[in-house]
């Protein structure tokens, strides 16, 4: 089970690997000045909630939107991301010849 953003980064990196130049192809809240190489993954935190008891937060949940971008609509990495624990498919759409697949994952 993925509990932290660092664990999520590691899990996503293990799915997609690294670029030929050794740079990662997984970007957390990616800056505007980065040159994307496809396929790639961009993800961001979209929500935080907590389970409370006795006025104490005993478990915090973070929600992430994961965007997988590829030139191949049948890319097998889509299924690998979907197989992550507590991950659900949200939508898929084409844009400028690239296929964007959106997932929601809750830690």
């Amino acid at each position: 089970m993925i509990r932290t953003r660092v664990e999520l980064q590691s899990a996503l990196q293990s799915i997609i690997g690294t670029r030929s130049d050794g740079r990662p192809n997984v970007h957390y809240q990616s800056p505007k000045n980065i040159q994307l190489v496809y396929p790639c993954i961009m993800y961001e935190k979209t929500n935080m909630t907590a389970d409370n008891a006795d006025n104490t937060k005993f478990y915090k949940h973070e929600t992430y939107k994961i965007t997988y971008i590829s030139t191949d609509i049948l890319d097998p990495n889509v299924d690998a991301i979907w197989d992550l624990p507590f991950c659900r498919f949200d939508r898929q759409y084409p844009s400028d010849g690239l296929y964007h697949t959106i997932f929601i994952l809750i830690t």
Side-chain angles (χ1 to χ4, degrees), residues 6-101:
V6 174
E7 290 175 0
L8 177 57
Q9 175 82 25
S10 178
L12 294 173
Q13 194 67 51
S14 70
I15 291 170
I16 199 168
T18 56
R19 299 182 345 190
S20 59
D21 62 6
R23 292 183 178 174
N25 242 5
V26 177
H27 309 284
Y28 178 67
Q29 298 178 341
S30 62
K32 301 284 185 224
N33 62 349
I34 194 164
Q35 178 66 36
L36 297 177
V37 176
Y38 306 106
C40 70
I41 297 173
M42 296 189 310
Y43 68 106
E44 61 188 62
K45 188 183 300 186
T46 59
N47 195 18
M48 294 173 62
T49 59
D51 294 333
N52 298 298
D54 296 326
N55 295 324
T56 303
K57 292 179 181 160
F58 69 90
Y59 192 82
K60 297 176 185 176
H61 304 275
E62 296 178 341
T63 303
Y64 292 91
K65 180 178 92 169
I66 301 168
T67 304
Y68 182 75
I69 307 171
S70 177
T71 57
D72 181 6
I73 194 168
L74 300 175
D75 194 314
N77 289 330
V78 169
D79 287 334
I81 296 169
W82 191 23
D83 287 340
L84 292 172
F86 302 103
C87 186
R88 68 176 174 83
F89 174 82
D90 186 43
R91 66 186 174 277
Q92 187 176 51
Y93 62 91
S95 178
D96 297 326
L98 298 169
Y99 297 97
H100 297 66
T101 307

